Amino acid sequence: MYRQLAVTNGEVTDIQQFKPVVKVALYAAQVDVAGNHLSGLLMMKKMPDSSTRLVFSNEMGFTFFDFEFTSEGVFKVHSVIKKMNKKSVLTTLKKDFELVLMQNLAAENLVVRKSGSLLYYIFPQKKGYYCYIIDAISNKMVHMERSSERKNVVSAEMKNYYNGMPDTIGITHHNFNFTIGLKKLEK
């Protein structure tokens, strides 16, 4: 998918400034998937063992899911509601949060390509790529993509960083009706 772009130089450290610095962050969450709407709160928290927990619950405290990325990047499911407890759903959510939390970015696999002022930091995965697109002139992240060999599958944006965490996160799937919108509640 990115082969037509010119190869250029770059390092993983060039995009580390955009990696969310998770301590404790609470987001209002809107999730729309296949005609179903879920809303509630998503808490991201760095745990004492350096793992990152993601807990999505409704306003009444009912937990939709509780996920963890260990300090080694291993994804663990602590709990999930029955309706979401399907391998395809869990894999999709894992990949979505890996993309925005910038997990699994192996420096030895990095390929950097260029188109105009845009730099594409491309990280091959088992299936497809994670790509972080940076405007070299303004030094801002334009957006992120998860793609297959042929097309963009997911686009994500993170905007308005404050203390290392974005104020707004949006994830949009292109191959089926699935969006996640997060808006930070406290600064």
Side-chain angles (χ1 to χ4, degrees):
M1 177 170 161
Y2 304 103
R3 296 183 214 282
Q4 76 279 8
L5 303 174
V7 176
T8 190
N9 294 325
E11 301 291 328
V12 172
T13 54
D14 299 341
I15 63 169
Q16 288 298 326
Q17 64 183 317
F18 303 108
K19 183 174 182 169
V21 180
V22 179
K23 293 177 185 150
V24 176
L26 188 62
Y27 289 89
Q30 304 291 323
V31 177
D32 291 297
V33 58
N36 295 307
H37 177 78
L38 298 173
S39 67
L41 302 171
L42 178 80
M43 182 166 50
M44 296 182 194
K45 184 175 182 180
K46 182 68 83 178
M47 303 304 286
D49 64 358
S50 296
S51 64
T52 301
R53 291 290 283 268
L54 302 161
V55 179
F56 178 38
S57 61
N58 70 9
E59 293 84 352
M60 299 298 290
F62 176 79
T63 300
F64 297 117
F65 64 71
D66 179 354
F67 299 152
E68 174 183 4
F69 285 101
T70 66
S71 57
E72 296 82 31
V74 175
F75 181 73
K76 291 185 178 179
V77 177
H78 290 281
S79 68
V80 63
I81 61 171
K82 186 176 181 179
K83 195 171 188 176
M84 296 175 78
N85 196 6
K86 295 172 179 52
K87 185 176 180 181
S88 62
V89 173
L90 296 174
T91 300
T92 298
L93 288 169
K94 171 189 179 266
K95 289 179 179 181
D96 288 352
F97 286 114
E98 273 181 346
L99 181 69
V100 297
L101 293 174
M102 300 176 78
Q103 302 280 321
N104 292 334
L105 305 185
E108 63 273 8
N109 296 332
L110 172 65
V111 175
V112 182
R113 295 188 179 263
K114 183 175 184 172
S115 175
S117 69
L118 298 180
L119 297 173
Y120 292 71
Y121 290 80
I122 305 162
F123 297 87
Q125 303 297 309
K126 286 181 183 174
K127 290 185 178 180
Y129 306 92
Y130 290 173
C131 181
Y132 300 88
I133 303 164
I134 311 301
D135 184 327
I137 295 171
S138 65
N139 194 36
K140 293 195 186 235
M141 186 181 310
V142 176
H143 70 277
M144 300 162 266
E145 297 176 347
R146 186 163 49 86
S147 61
S148 68
E149 289 290 329
R150 297 182 316 275
K151 64 180 181 173
N152 183 6
V153 178
V154 174
S155 295
E157 292 183 330
M158 295 192 294
K159 297 180 181 176
N160 307 323
Y161 282 77
Y162 182 78
N163 285 338
M165 286 298 289
D167 175 69
T168 305
I169 301 172
I171 302 170
T172 304
H173 289 254
H174 301 294
N175 53 354
F176 63 102
N177 185 15
F178 184 16
T179 60
I180 299 172
L182 304 175
K183 182 73 175 162
K184 199 162 185 223
L185 291 176
E186 77 280 347
K187 299 273 182 192

